[in-house]
PDB file of all heavy atoms in Angstrom:
ATOM      1  N   LYS N  25       0.814  -1.201   0.009  1.00  0.00           N
ATOM      2  CA  LYS N  25      -0.001   0.001  -0.007  1.00  0.00           C
ATOM      3  C   LYS N  25       0.895   1.255   0.019  1.00  0.00           C
ATOM      4  O   LYS N  25       0.560   2.253  -0.721  1.00  0.00           O
ATOM      5  CB  LYS N  25      -0.924  -0.034   1.198  1.00  0.00           C
ATOM      6  CG  LYS N  25      -2.104  -0.948   1.046  1.00  0.00           C
ATOM      7  CD  LYS N  25      -2.974  -0.986   2.306  1.00  0.00           C
ATOM      8  CE  LYS N  25      -4.111  -1.981   2.138  1.00  0.00           C
ATOM      9  NZ  LYS N  25      -4.917  -2.078   3.406  1.00  0.00           N
ATOM     10  N   GLU N  26       1.929   1.225   0.770  1.00  0.00           N
ATOM     11  CA  GLU N  26       2.854   2.351   0.837  1.00  0.00           C
ATOM     12  C   GLU N  26       3.541   2.578  -0.541  1.00  0.00           C
ATOM     13  O   GLU N  26       3.708   3.691  -0.988  1.00  0.00           O
ATOM     14  CB  GLU N  26       3.889   2.159   1.901  1.00  0.00           C
ATOM     15  CG  GLU N  26       3.374   2.282   3.350  1.00  0.00           C
ATOM     16  CD  GLU N  26       4.416   2.000   4.387  1.00  0.00           C
ATOM     17  OE1 GLU N  26       5.486   1.422   4.039  1.00  0.00           O
ATOM     18  OE2 GLU N  26       4.188   2.258   5.581  1.00  0.00           O
ATOM     19  N   LEU N  27       3.876   1.462  -1.156  1.00  0.00           N
ATOM     20  CA  LEU N  27       4.569   1.536  -2.470  1.00  0.00           C
ATOM     21  C   LEU N  27       3.578   2.090  -3.513  1.00  0.00           C
ATOM     22  O   LEU N  27       4.004   2.911  -4.361  1.00  0.00           O
ATOM     23  CB  LEU N  27       5.032   0.141  -2.881  1.00  0.00           C
ATOM     24  CG  LEU N  27       6.083   0.007  -3.952  1.00  0.00           C
ATOM     25  CD1 LEU N  27       7.369   0.794  -3.552  1.00  0.00           C
ATOM     26  CD2 LEU N  27       6.431  -1.437  -4.260  1.00  0.00           C
ATOM     27  N   GLU N  28       2.339   1.636  -3.492  1.00  0.00           N
ATOM     28  CA  GLU N  28       1.363   2.146  -4.447  1.00  0.00           C
ATOM     29  C   GLU N  28       1.095   3.642  -4.204  1.00  0.00           C
ATOM     30  O   GLU N  28       0.981   4.410  -5.181  1.00  0.00           O
ATOM     31  CB  GLU N  28       0.056   1.381  -4.266  1.00  0.00           C
ATOM     32  CG  GLU N  28       0.090  -0.038  -4.838  1.00  0.00           C
ATOM     33  CD  GLU N  28      -1.183  -0.846  -4.460  1.00  0.00           C
ATOM     34  OE1 GLU N  28      -2.076  -0.260  -3.897  1.00  0.00           O
ATOM     35  OE2 GLU N  28      -1.197  -2.050  -4.800  1.00  0.00           O
ATOM     36  N   ALA N  29       1.034   4.026  -2.960  1.00  0.00           N
ATOM     37  CA  ALA N  29       0.798   5.491  -2.640  1.00  0.00           C
ATOM     38  C   ALA N  29       1.967   6.307  -3.085  1.00  0.00           C
ATOM     39  O   ALA N  29       1.865   7.419  -3.636  1.00  0.00           O
ATOM     40  CB  ALA N  29       0.612   5.645  -1.161  1.00  0.00           C
ATOM     41  N   PHE N  30       3.205   5.783  -2.874  1.00  0.00           N
ATOM     42  CA  PHE N  30       4.398   6.514  -3.258  1.00  0.00           C
ATOM     43  C   PHE N  30       4.453   6.642  -4.810  1.00  0.00           C
ATOM     44  O   PHE N  30       4.767   7.723  -5.305  1.00  0.00           O
ATOM     45  CB  PHE N  30       5.615   5.729  -2.775  1.00  0.00           C
ATOM     46  CG  PHE N  30       6.970   6.300  -3.286  1.00  0.00           C
ATOM     47  CD1 PHE N  30       7.464   7.455  -2.737  1.00  0.00           C
ATOM     48  CD2 PHE N  30       7.667   5.624  -4.298  1.00  0.00           C
ATOM     49  CE1 PHE N  30       8.690   7.950  -3.192  1.00  0.00           C
ATOM     50  CE2 PHE N  30       8.831   6.133  -4.759  1.00  0.00           C
ATOM     51  CZ  PHE N  30       9.383   7.318  -4.225  1.00  0.00           C
ATOM     52  N   THR N  31       4.200   5.521  -5.521  1.00  0.00           N
ATOM     53  CA  THR N  31       4.208   5.544  -6.976  1.00  0.00           C
ATOM     54  C   THR N  31       3.211   6.545  -7.519  1.00  0.00           C
ATOM     55  O   THR N  31       3.549   7.353  -8.416  1.00  0.00           O
ATOM     56  CB  THR N  31       3.886   4.181  -7.515  1.00  0.00           C
ATOM     57  OG1 THR N  31       4.811   3.213  -6.989  1.00  0.00           O
ATOM     58  CG2 THR N  31       4.014   4.128  -9.059  1.00  0.00           C
ATOM     59  N   TYR N  32       1.982   6.570  -6.967  1.00  0.00           N
ATOM     60  CA  TYR N  32       0.952   7.485  -7.403  1.00  0.00           C
ATOM     61  C   TYR N  32       1.380   8.943  -7.124  1.00  0.00           C
ATOM     62  O   TYR N  32       1.259   9.799  -7.997  1.00  0.00           O
ATOM     63  CB  TYR N  32      -0.385   7.200  -6.700  1.00  0.00           C
ATOM     64  CG  TYR N  32      -1.495   8.073  -7.147  1.00  0.00           C
ATOM     65  CD1 TYR N  32      -2.233   7.765  -8.315  1.00  0.00           C
ATOM     66  CD2 TYR N  32      -1.789   9.225  -6.424  1.00  0.00           C
ATOM     67  CE1 TYR N  32      -3.278   8.576  -8.712  1.00  0.00           C
ATOM     68  CE2 TYR N  32      -2.822  10.073  -6.837  1.00  0.00           C
ATOM     69  CZ  TYR N  32      -3.551   9.732  -7.999  1.00  0.00           C
ATOM     70  OH  TYR N  32      -4.528  10.569  -8.364  1.00  0.00           O
ATOM     71  N   SER N  33       1.886   9.171  -5.937  1.00  0.00           N
ATOM     72  CA  SER N  33       2.297  10.513  -5.535  1.00  0.00           C
ATOM     73  C   SER N  33       3.430  11.069  -6.448  1.00  0.00           C
ATOM     74  O   SER N  33       3.363  12.167  -6.951  1.00  0.00           O
ATOM     75  CB  SER N  33       2.760  10.538  -4.089  1.00  0.00           C
ATOM     76  OG  SER N  33       3.206  11.817  -3.731  1.00  0.00           O
ATOM     77  N   VAL N  34       4.455  10.230  -6.654  1.00  0.00           N
ATOM     78  CA  VAL N  34       5.587  10.631  -7.476  1.00  0.00           C
ATOM     79  C   VAL N  34       5.119  10.950  -8.919  1.00  0.00           C
ATOM     80  O   VAL N  34       5.457  11.982  -9.530  1.00  0.00           O
ATOM     81  CB  VAL N  34       6.668   9.598  -7.482  1.00  0.00           C
ATOM     82  CG1 VAL N  34       7.736   9.877  -8.513  1.00  0.00           C
ATOM     83  CG2 VAL N  34       7.364   9.524  -6.121  1.00  0.00           C
ATOM     84  N   SER N  35       4.304  10.016  -9.455  1.00  0.00           N
ATOM     85  CA  SER N  35       3.830  10.153 -10.802  1.00  0.00           C
ATOM     86  C   SER N  35       2.992  11.413 -10.974  1.00  0.00           C
ATOM     87  O   SER N  35       3.117  12.164 -11.944  1.00  0.00           O
ATOM     88  CB  SER N  35       3.029   8.914 -11.243  1.00  0.00           C
ATOM     89  OG  SER N  35       3.814   7.775 -11.176  1.00  0.00           O
ATOM     90  N   HIS N  36       2.114  11.658  -9.984  1.00  0.00           N
ATOM     91  CA  HIS N  36       1.217  12.798 -10.044  1.00  0.00           C
ATOM     92  C   HIS N  36       2.019  14.106  -9.910  1.00  0.00           C
ATOM     93  O   HIS N  36       1.791  15.049 -10.635  1.00  0.00           O
ATOM     94  CB  HIS N  36       0.196  12.701  -8.887  1.00  0.00           C
ATOM     95  CG  HIS N  36      -0.885  13.703  -8.951  1.00  0.00           C
ATOM     96  ND1 HIS N  36      -0.785  14.919  -8.319  1.00  0.00           N
ATOM     97  CD2 HIS N  36      -2.065  13.717  -9.643  1.00  0.00           C
ATOM     98  CE1 HIS N  36      -1.912  15.600  -8.563  1.00  0.00           C
ATOM     99  NE2 HIS N  36      -2.709  14.927  -9.348  1.00  0.00           N
ATOM    100  N   ASP N  37       3.002  14.155  -9.004  1.00  0.00           N
ATOM    101  CA  ASP N  37       3.779  15.373  -8.773  1.00  0.00           C
ATOM    102  C   ASP N  37       4.746  15.683  -9.934  1.00  0.00           C
ATOM    103  O   ASP N  37       5.136  16.821 -10.090  1.00  0.00           O
ATOM    104  CB  ASP N  37       4.595  15.213  -7.468  1.00  0.00           C
ATOM    105  CG  ASP N  37       3.693  15.208  -6.250  1.00  0.00           C
ATOM    106  OD1 ASP N  37       2.532  15.596  -6.395  1.00  0.00           O
ATOM    107  OD2 ASP N  37       4.183  14.809  -5.160  1.00  0.00           O
ATOM    108  N   LEU N  38       5.073  14.670 -10.753  1.00  0.00           N
ATOM    109  CA  LEU N  38       5.938  14.899 -11.889  1.00  0.00           C
ATOM    110  C   LEU N  38       5.233  15.644 -13.042  1.00  0.00           C
ATOM    111  O   LEU N  38       5.862  16.228 -13.892  1.00  0.00           O
ATOM    112  CB  LEU N  38       6.515  13.566 -12.393  1.00  0.00           C
ATOM    113  CG  LEU N  38       7.646  12.951 -11.604  1.00  0.00           C
ATOM    114  CD1 LEU N  38       7.951  11.534 -12.132  1.00  0.00           C
ATOM    115  CD2 LEU N  38       8.875  13.776 -11.679  1.00  0.00           C
ATOM    116  N   ARG N  39       3.905  15.611 -13.022  1.00  0.00           N
ATOM    117  CA  ARG N  39       3.161  16.145 -14.116  1.00  0.00           C
ATOM    118  C   ARG N  39       3.360  17.674 -14.285  1.00  0.00           C
ATOM    119  O   ARG N  39       3.478  18.157 -15.406  1.00  0.00           O
ATOM    120  CB  ARG N  39       1.695  15.822 -14.002  1.00  0.00           C
ATOM    121  CG  ARG N  39       1.347  14.363 -14.303  1.00  0.00           C
ATOM    122  CD  ARG N  39      -0.130  14.160 -14.329  1.00  0.00           C
ATOM    123  NE  ARG N  39      -0.463  12.790 -14.672  1.00  0.00           N
ATOM    124  CZ  ARG N  39      -0.451  12.296 -15.878  1.00  0.00           C
ATOM    125  NH1 ARG N  39      -0.153  13.007 -16.930  1.00  0.00           N
ATOM    126  NH2 ARG N  39      -0.760  11.011 -16.074  1.00  0.00           N
ATOM    127  N   ALA N  40       3.325  18.390 -13.149  1.00  0.00           N
ATOM    128  CA  ALA N  40       3.423  19.844 -13.197  1.00  0.00           C
ATOM    129  C   ALA N  40       4.697  20.378 -13.823  1.00  0.00           C
ATOM    130  O   ALA N  40       4.647  21.155 -14.821  1.00  0.00           O
ATOM    131  CB  ALA N  40       3.225  20.464 -11.794  1.00  0.00           C
ATOM    132  N   PRO N  41       5.879  19.941 -13.393  1.00  0.00           N
ATOM    133  CA  PRO N  41       7.108  20.399 -14.036  1.00  0.00           C
ATOM    134  C   PRO N  41       7.209  19.911 -15.471  1.00  0.00           C
ATOM    135  O   PRO N  41       7.782  20.647 -16.335  1.00  0.00           O
ATOM    136  CB  PRO N  41       8.234  19.818 -13.171  1.00  0.00           C
ATOM    137  CG  PRO N  41       7.610  18.732 -12.379  1.00  0.00           C
ATOM    138  CD  PRO N  41       6.191  19.124 -12.180  1.00  0.00           C
ATOM    139  N   LEU N  42       6.664  18.749 -15.763  1.00  0.00           N
ATOM    140  CA  LEU N  42       6.731  18.241 -17.138  1.00  0.00           C
ATOM    141  C   LEU N  42       5.865  19.125 -18.066  1.00  0.00           C
ATOM    142  O   LEU N  42       6.277  19.417 -19.188  1.00  0.00           O
ATOM    143  CB  LEU N  42       6.242  16.797 -17.169  1.00  0.00           C
ATOM    144  CG  LEU N  42       6.309  16.097 -18.524  1.00  0.00           C
ATOM    145  CD1 LEU N  42       7.775  15.991 -18.981  1.00  0.00           C
ATOM    146  CD2 LEU N  42       5.687  14.745 -18.445  1.00  0.00           C
ATOM    147  N   ARG N  43       4.699  19.517 -17.587  1.00  0.00           N
ATOM    148  CA  ARG N  43       3.868  20.400 -18.378  1.00  0.00           C
ATOM    149  C   ARG N  43       4.534  21.735 -18.684  1.00  0.00           C
ATOM    150  O   ARG N  43       4.438  22.321 -19.740  1.00  0.00           O
ATOM    151  CB  ARG N  43       2.529  20.606 -17.667  1.00  0.00           C
ATOM    152  CG  ARG N  43       1.506  19.543 -17.816  1.00  0.00           C
ATOM    153  CD  ARG N  43       0.085  19.994 -17.481  1.00  0.00           C
ATOM    154  NE  ARG N  43       0.037  20.316 -16.036  1.00  0.00           N
ATOM    155  CZ  ARG N  43      -0.392  19.460 -15.110  1.00  0.00           C
ATOM    156  NH1 ARG N  43      -0.719  18.211 -15.424  1.00  0.00           N
ATOM    157  NH2 ARG N  43      -0.451  19.799 -13.832  1.00  0.00           N
ATOM    158  N   ALA N  44       5.288  22.213 -17.628  1.00  0.00           N
ATOM    159  CA  ALA N  44       6.027  23.496 -17.819  1.00  0.00           C
ATOM    160  C   ALA N  44       7.098  23.359 -18.877  1.00  0.00           C
ATOM    161  O   ALA N  44       7.251  24.200 -19.738  1.00  0.00           O
ATOM    162  CB  ALA N  44       6.631  23.906 -16.464  1.00  0.00           C
ATOM    163  N   VAL N  45       7.846  22.270 -18.806  1.00  0.00           N
ATOM    164  CA  VAL N  45       8.941  22.012 -19.830  1.00  0.00           C
ATOM    165  C   VAL N  45       8.334  21.966 -21.235  1.00  0.00           C
ATOM    166  O   VAL N  45       8.803  22.628 -22.177  1.00  0.00           O
ATOM    167  CB  VAL N  45       9.695  20.721 -19.554  1.00  0.00           C
ATOM    168  CG1 VAL N  45      10.624  20.328 -20.680  1.00  0.00           C
ATOM    169  CG2 VAL N  45      10.479  20.816 -18.236  1.00  0.00           C
ATOM    170  N   ASP N  46       7.248  21.199 -21.373  1.00  0.00           N
ATOM    171  CA  ASP N  46       6.601  21.023 -22.673  1.00  0.00           C
ATOM    172  C   ASP N  46       5.998  22.345 -23.158  1.00  0.00           C
ATOM    173  O   ASP N  46       6.063  22.699 -24.332  1.00  0.00           O
ATOM    174  CB  ASP N  46       5.506  19.930 -22.576  1.00  0.00           C
ATOM    175  CG  ASP N  46       4.996  19.553 -23.936  1.00  0.00           C
ATOM    176  OD1 ASP N  46       5.794  19.377 -24.880  1.00  0.00           O
ATOM    177  OD2 ASP N  46       3.766  19.386 -24.107  1.00  0.00           O
ATOM    178  N   GLY N  47       5.367  23.083 -22.207  1.00  0.00           N
ATOM    179  CA  GLY N  47       4.715  24.363 -22.572  1.00  0.00           C
ATOM    180  C   GLY N  47       5.719  25.379 -23.070  1.00  0.00           C
ATOM    181  O   GLY N  47       5.505  26.065 -24.075  1.00  0.00           O
ATOM    182  N   TYR N  48       6.846  25.542 -22.350  1.00  0.00           N
ATOM    183  CA  TYR N  48       7.849  26.537 -22.728  1.00  0.00           C
ATOM    184  C   TYR N  48       8.518  26.123 -24.049  1.00  0.00           C
ATOM    185  O   TYR N  48       8.862  26.950 -24.889  1.00  0.00           O
ATOM    186  CB  TYR N  48       8.899  26.694 -21.655  1.00  0.00           C
ATOM    187  CG  TYR N  48       8.432  27.556 -20.485  1.00  0.00           C
ATOM    188  CD1 TYR N  48       8.302  27.054 -19.231  1.00  0.00           C
ATOM    189  CD2 TYR N  48       8.079  28.899 -20.727  1.00  0.00           C
ATOM    190  CE1 TYR N  48       7.880  27.848 -18.158  1.00  0.00           C
ATOM    191  CE2 TYR N  48       7.662  29.689 -19.665  1.00  0.00           C
ATOM    192  CZ  TYR N  48       7.541  29.155 -18.418  1.00  0.00           C
ATOM    193  OH  TYR N  48       7.076  29.989 -17.383  1.00  0.00           O
ATOM    194  N   ALA N  49       8.643  24.832 -24.249  1.00  0.00           N
ATOM    195  CA  ALA N  49       9.259  24.346 -25.505  1.00  0.00           C
ATOM    196  C   ALA N  49       8.342  24.765 -26.688  1.00  0.00           C
ATOM    197  O   ALA N  49       8.846  25.139 -27.754  1.00  0.00           O
ATOM    198  CB  ALA N  49       9.463  22.840 -25.492  1.00  0.00           C
ATOM    199  N   LYS N  50       7.027  24.640 -26.506  1.00  0.00           N
ATOM    200  CA  LYS N  50       6.092  24.973 -27.574  1.00  0.00           C
ATOM    201  C   LYS N  50       6.090  26.508 -27.843  1.00  0.00           C
ATOM    202  O   LYS N  50       6.015  26.953 -28.974  1.00  0.00           O
ATOM    203  CB  LYS N  50       4.670  24.558 -27.143  1.00  0.00           C
ATOM    204  CG  LYS N  50       4.430  23.075 -27.330  1.00  0.00           C
ATOM    205  CD  LYS N  50       3.075  22.629 -26.882  1.00  0.00           C
ATOM    206  CE  LYS N  50       2.904  21.128 -27.039  1.00  0.00           C
ATOM    207  NZ  LYS N  50       1.581  20.681 -26.490  1.00  0.00           N
TER     208      LYS N  50
END
């Protein structure tokens, strides 16, 4: 359960900086 929560949290939190990188590149 901890591993699933960690995976979800990390994956979710990575989206914001990734959107910024992709947005500025566009």
Side-chain angles (χ1 to χ4, degrees):
K25 285 178 181 177
E26 288 176 349
L27 198 59
E28 285 171 7
F30 173 77
T31 304
Y32 181 84
S33 177
V34 169
S35 301
H36 189 268
D37 291 345
L38 283 172
R39 287 189 179 278
L42 184 64
R43 278 196 296 266
V45 171
D46 190 43
Y48 282 117
K50 284 178 181 174

